[in-house]
Amino acid sequence: MSPIPAPGQPSAVSTAAPARKATAAPARKATVAFAHLGCEKNRVDTEHMLGLLAEAGYGVSADENDASVVVVNTCSFIQEAREESVRTLVELAEQGKELIIAGCLAQHFQQELLDSLPEAKAIVGTGDYQHIVSVLERVEAGERVHQVSATPVFVGDEHLPRYRTTSEAVAYLKVAEGCDYRCAFCIIPKLRGDQRSRTIESVVAEAQQLASQGVKELVLISQITTNYGLDLYGKPQLAELLRALGEVEIPWIRVHYAYPTGLTTEVLAAYREVANVLPYLDLPLQHSHPEVLRAMNRPWQADVTGSLLKRIREQLPEAVLRTTFIVGFPGETEEHFQHLLDFVAEQRFDHVGVFTFSSEEGTAAAELANPVSAEVAAERKDRLMALQQPIAAERNAAWVGRIVDVLIEQENPSTGEMLGRCSRYAPEVDGEVRVLPGEGGLCAAPGTMVPVRITAANTYDLVGVVVGAQAMVGDALAARQGST
């Protein structure tokens, strides 16, 4: 659970400014606290609710003890996420807090939440967070509110107030909402609806707002970002969007959730040619064996994955590849799993996340025969991660000796070290760079981007020292001489 800061107050989570200046607000109303759970798409929804309430004159506190009402933006993606959401709700209810339950759990269970939690004064669906002010006003008037659209259709844009909960240097930008795919294991389309994209002009306008706030890394998110624009323009428009964002003064643009079928020649060319688009590809492949992929309702993937990865490496030699896999899917045999082990050993991804299958009521996979026991699934997860760890260490080690830009994010005051990330690490899901002061005491402050020479590596992280302009020139000359 992430506490949310009050606008304008310092916090470990954020001191970022609103994405749009609020108009003069009336006298301060009741204070509201937020608890954020789940993915970064959910985080953006939380930030919009914060912005709307702040603009309407409500106080927002980082301390739930200061608030009369707590808005809990929940996750319901898998069983573990539901358990965390329910645990958070029960803990707050036991503290006597009045609750507004938003997000995927609210969309999923609706009346059940109101029936089981007397402290729940309202539920707000995934397509209804824009109504948070009127919902709170109705709650304050004594009403118990059920604000859940049966089919979510709303997607926020640059005109919706937003108060960011990330650092000033990093922002997430939701380019689309919902999903048209129907993977057998995934409940997201049921909870968030079909894909609905924002226009290129809308996305660029918000990116420019964020650039004016000093954002240095912009992370584009949606359920399937490579399908961006298909619903609006009749064909995916990610390449066109990336080229338009190339005109925005933000040093790093990172794309999350790039499905294999959408990584066309045009998209890869945009990755290669647009200077501020990072060659970082997050490919949620889920499995490698054709039979498992067919059971997952991803039969198209088996024929494209290997050739696509080869093409990515040919066209983007500096590409950093991240992926996720599900083990223990119904019907997965030891032979299927060995195929996945061999695939990971061959492809040598930079970053790999592994999840055990979670049976979700309402998905096709919940009805499949031949379930894999939790014990076997956990053992397979451990084996796959054990295989990946030395690969990850080797991929990290290849960066030792390089001078790379590092976005500094925080300081360890007891050691003087700084923590940050280079382009190969996405926020929160990958590793970090431990940055030591350079010669002559060269150092950096949080929120700045500095050149760092990588001096050491381990399985997940890098270590480096800040370098000055002279060292960078020397390295460039040495590289040129070495190539002649």
Side-chain angles (χ1 to χ4, degrees):
M1 179 176 73
S2 298
I4 304 297
Q9 294 184 358
S11 163
V13 179
S14 172
T15 55
R20 179 168 73 87
K21 276 204 168 188
T23 56
R28 184 59 59 95
K29 301 179 182 178
T31 297
V32 183
F34 270 76
H36 161 77
L37 300 155
C39 67
E40 301 310 334
K41 295 179 285 293
N42 217 32
R43 177 181 290 277
V44 172
D45 298 347
T46 293
E47 293 176 343
H48 281 309
M49 287 191 283
L50 278 162
L52 286 161
L53 289 171
E55 185 176 74
Y58 286 92
V60 182
S61 175
D63 187 350
E64 292 148 3
N65 294 320
D66 294 339
S68 55
V69 178
V70 180
V71 179
V72 184
N73 201 6
T74 59
C75 181
S76 191
F77 180 49
I78 57 176
Q79 179 65 26
E80 183 179 341
R82 283 197 298 275
E83 290 173 356
E84 182 185 13
S85 293
V86 170
R87 187 165 58 248
T88 299
L89 292 169
V90 170
E91 288 173 356
L92 291 168
E94 289 176 347
Q95 296 172 26
K97 299 297 180 183
E98 291 189 351
L99 305 175
I100 294 177
I101 307 174
C104 287
L105 196 73
Q107 187 75 34
H108 198 172
F109 293 102
Q110 301 191 22
Q111 194 62 40
E112 294 172 57
L113 292 169
L114 291 176
D115 292 343
S116 59
L117 280 171
E119 295 82 1
K121 303 304 178 183
I123 56 169
V124 181
T126 59
D128 300 272
Y129 59 87
Q130 72 276 20
H131 301 303
I132 188 63
V133 173
S134 64
V135 167
L136 182 53
E137 289 172 346
R138 290 161 65 189
V139 167
E140 291 177 321
E143 185 180 348
R144 210 161 186 226
V145 182
H146 184 285
Q147 182 76 52
V148 182
S149 298
T151 303
V153 295
F154 180 76
V155 58
D157 61 19
E158 76 277 17
H159 301 298
L160 198 67
R162 178 178 176 186
Y163 185 87
R164 284 172 35 229
T165 60
T166 52
S167 70
E168 291 184 8
V170 178
Y172 293 91
L173 200 166
K174 191 189 296 189
V175 302
E177 178 61 278
C179 183
D180 291 337
Y181 285 8
R182 295 296 184 266
C183 297
F185 54 82
C186 185
I187 199 169
I188 292 299
K190 180 177 179 180
L191 301 182
R192 290 192 171 264
D194 291 334
Q195 177 174 297
R196 46 209 188 270
S197 303
R198 297 168 57 181
T199 65
I200 291 176
E201 294 77 13
S202 172
V203 174
V204 170
E206 186 171 2
Q208 289 170 334
Q209 291 175 355
L210 295 166
S212 70
Q213 298 169 24
V215 166
K216 292 180 172 57
E217 179 176 12
L218 189 64
V219 185
L220 306 186
I221 54 172
S222 70
Q223 199 60 36
I224 302 180
T225 307
T226 36
N227 272 8
Y228 163 77
L230 177 61
D231 51 310
L232 281 183
Y233 302 105
K235 63 178 183 177
Q237 294 285 294
L238 179 59
E240 291 76 7
L241 176 63
L242 294 179
R243 293 190 184 279
L245 289 171
E247 302 300 316
V248 180
E249 292 186 5
I250 291 179
W252 287 354
I253 294 177
R254 190 184 302 273
V255 181
H256 273 192
Y257 317 120
Y259 274 58
T261 50
L263 286 171
T264 61
T265 300
E266 293 76 17
V267 170
L268 291 177
Y271 270 92
R272 185 174 62 252
E273 295 167 7
V274 181
N276 57 351
V277 174
L278 298 178
Y280 176 102
L281 291 95
D282 186 342
L283 301 162
L285 297 176
Q286 312 303 3
H287 213 279
S288 63
H289 198 285
E291 292 177 6
V292 178
L293 290 169
R294 196 157 40 245
M296 289 179 167
N297 199 27
R298 299 166 67 97
W300 44 266
Q301 186 181 312
D303 294 331
V304 304
T305 300
S307 59
L308 170 69
L309 291 171
K310 179 181 178 182
R311 184 155 45 92
I312 290 172
R313 290 185 169 114
E314 289 173 349
Q315 297 186 22
L316 288 172
E318 291 291 304
V320 174
L321 298 178
R322 175 181 176 80
T323 192
T324 52
F325 296 112
I326 297 172
V327 296
F329 193 81
E332 182 191 55
T333 65
E334 184 62 28
E335 179 186 353
H336 294 151
F337 179 65
Q338 185 60 51
H339 188 280
L340 180 57
L341 290 174
D342 293 342
F343 175 74
V344 171
E346 176 188 1
Q347 294 298 337
R348 310 192 77 73
F349 296 99
D350 293 271
H351 312 294
V352 171
V354 184
F355 299 89
T356 56
F357 171 71
S358 175
S359 180
E360 304 301 318
E361 184 179 353
T363 65
E367 308 299 323
L368 292 177
N370 303 315
V372 176
S373 72
E375 293 77 15
V376 169
E379 184 264 345
R380 288 177 180 172
K381 175 182 177 179
D382 291 344
R383 284 166 63 192
L384 185 53
M385 289 306 299
L387 170 67
Q388 171 61 23
Q389 284 174 348
I391 297 173
E394 177 190 308
R395 302 293 291 173
N396 261 351
W399 283 55
V400 173
R402 297 177 57 174
I403 294 179
V404 299
D405 287 335
V406 172
L407 179 58
I408 303 297
E409 296 188 297
Q410 57 182 300
E411 178 184 5
N412 184 337
S414 63
T415 65
E417 295 177 357
M418 310 298 291
L419 294 178
R421 290 177 297 104
C422 58
S423 60
R424 71 181 273 99
Y425 296 143
E428 300 190 25
V429 296
D430 297 326
E432 60 189 12
V433 183
R434 216 174 85 233
V435 181
L436 310 175
E439 292 183 10
L442 282 172
C443 57
T448 62
M449 192 173 285
V450 295
V452 171
R453 187 193 305 278
I454 303 302
T455 58
N458 59 34
T459 302
Y460 298 114
D461 303 320
L462 297 170
V463 180
V465 295
V466 180
V467 299
Q470 185 175 359
M472 295 177 66
V473 170
D475 272 37
L477 291 173
R480 182 178 180 183
Q481 291 170 356
S483 65
T484 59

